[in-house]
């Protein structure tokens, strides 16, 4: 619907609610949030934790943390991987989205005692999982690089550029306030 420049929905009494309208509403909300978040973060930016360390044997330890991926800050668990100690490799997050139906998760059947839809399947769900991996290792999902490792050495990362600008602006305001005091 975006090709028609629709930005919202207007609901009316006595008109049926359509599933596609709910999907459009959900999509509009997600796109609005993403348009703002993409100003602050880039895919693969670390928001919290997610440290990476590699030893001489190529054992790569990745901490749990939160990473910006595909429009949202997502949790990722800790992991241990093996990486080459010669050459360059990208370590990052695989983001996998799967549709889960009531056949796969019986909790998606309506269980309200007096509901006319009791026992019927409701909306399917989208399950999103985020796991650490090495680029090209065959995992399912979209890969987002987070860490570059060159000859067994983790390349340092800088803070997300927009966050650095925001932090500098806050520091300047604090400094201006301190001068007035």
């Amino acid at each position: 619907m975006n090709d028609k420049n629709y930005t919202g929905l207007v609901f009316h009494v006595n008109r049926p609610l359509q599933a596609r309208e709910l999907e459009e509403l959900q999509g509009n909300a997600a796109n609005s949030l993403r348009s703002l978040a993409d100003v602050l973060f880039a895919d693969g930016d670390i928001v919290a934790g997610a440290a990476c360390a590699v030893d001489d044997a190529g054992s790569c330890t990745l901490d749990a943390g939160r990473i910006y991926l595909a429009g949202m800050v997502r949790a990722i668990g800790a992991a241990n991987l093996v990486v080459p100690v010669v050459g360059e490799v990208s370590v990052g997050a695989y983001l996998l989205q799967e549709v889960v139906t009531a056949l796969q998760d019986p909790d998606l059947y309506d269980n309200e005692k007096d509901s006319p839809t009791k026992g019927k399947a409701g909306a399917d769900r989208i399950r999103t999982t985020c796991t650490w991996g090495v680029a090209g290792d065959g995992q399912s999902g979209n890969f987002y690089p987070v860490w570059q490792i060159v000859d067994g050495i983790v390349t340092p990362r800088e803070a997300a550029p927009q966050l650095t600008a925001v932090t500098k602006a806050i520091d300047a305001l604090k400094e201006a306030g301190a001068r007035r005091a």
Side-chain angles (χ1 to χ4, degrees):
M1 294 287 174
N2 284 341
D3 58 333
K4 295 183 179 182
N5 295 319
Y6 293 159
T7 58
L9 291 92
V10 179
F11 296 100
H12 299 274
V13 175
N14 296 327
R15 288 192 192 171
L17 178 63
Q18 301 170 11
R20 70 184 183 138
E21 292 169 338
L22 294 173
E23 290 173 0
E24 186 176 339
L25 190 65
Q26 179 178 305
N28 287 348
N31 288 337
S32 293
L33 178 60
R34 185 174 187 154
S35 67
L36 176 61
D38 282 351
V39 170
L40 298 173
F41 301 106
D43 284 329
D45 279 350
I46 297 170
V47 176
C52 177
V54 177
D55 69 15
D56 293 339
S59 178
C60 179
T61 303
L62 295 142
D63 292 345
R66 296 176 49 204
I67 302 171
Y68 184 77
L69 303 170
M72 291 182 66
V73 175
R74 302 181 190 270
I76 190 167
N80 290 304
L81 307 172
V82 176
V83 297
V85 292
V86 176
E88 185 171 346
V89 65
S90 291
V91 172
Y94 278 94
L95 187 67
L96 178 63
Q97 293 188 318
E98 304 168 284
V99 175
V100 177
T101 68
L103 291 174
Q104 297 161 303
D105 182 355
D107 289 340
L108 301 182
Y109 286 102
D110 187 355
N111 64 2
E112 289 299 316
K113 180 180 167 188
D114 297 324
S115 171
T117 59
K118 178 166 177 45
K120 297 192 186 225
D124 295 339
R125 303 302 197 269
I126 298 172
R127 176 178 33 223
T128 303
T129 54
C130 186
T131 55
W132 288 111
V134 177
D137 66 7
Q139 287 191 54
S140 296
N142 294 323
F143 179 78
Y144 296 88
V146 177
W147 294 102
Q148 288 301 114
I149 300 171
V150 179
D151 295 331
I153 297 172
V154 179
T155 303
R157 288 185 59 110
E158 294 184 20
Q162 293 297 329
L163 291 181
T164 301
V166 170
T167 302
K168 286 179 181 177
I170 291 170
D171 288 344
L173 289 172
K174 286 180 184 177
E175 189 176 307
R179 282 194 300 249
R180 283 187 234 159

